[in-house]
Amino acid sequence: METKQWVLEQLDYLNGQSRDYRQKALFQETKKLFQEQYQRIGQAEGELDGRMWSPKDWS
């Protein structure tokens, strides 16, 4: 199983098991942060790929 999916499932599980409002809020915000970080990683990979294939830097 992919690490990203596993972490998201664990956060959902912990959120579902928790009875404390603060813990639930923490798990929900951690999940949002985790998803944002994966999105940023994807954007950075795309930028790197674009810079590597930029014709202006081939000379």
Side-chain angles (χ1 to χ4, degrees), residues 38-56:
Y38 260 89
Q39 181 181 4
R40 289 180 183 170
I41 289 169
Q43 290 170 340
E45 288 173 349
E47 181 182 354
L48 180 60
D49 189 44
R51 288 178 186 255
M52 288 175 55
W53 287 99
S54 177
K56 70 179 181 180

Side-chain angles (χ1 to χ4, degrees), residues 6-46:
W6 180 83
V7 170
L8 293 175
E9 288 176 5
Q10 292 301 309
L11 288 168
D12 285 338
Y13 173 77
L14 291 169
N15 188 27
Q17 295 297 313
S18 179
R19 300 285 182 238
D20 182 46
Y21 171 77
R22 289 177 291 172
Q23 279 185 347
K24 284 183 167 288
L26 176 66
F27 294 138
Q28 289 174 2
E29 291 303 313
T30 301
K31 183 177 178 179
K32 285 182 190 177
L33 179 64
F34 191 76
Q35 290 171 323
E36 288 177 15
Q37 291 293 39
Y38 260 89
Q39 181 181 4
R40 289 180 183 170
I41 289 169
Q43 290 170 340
E45 288 173 349

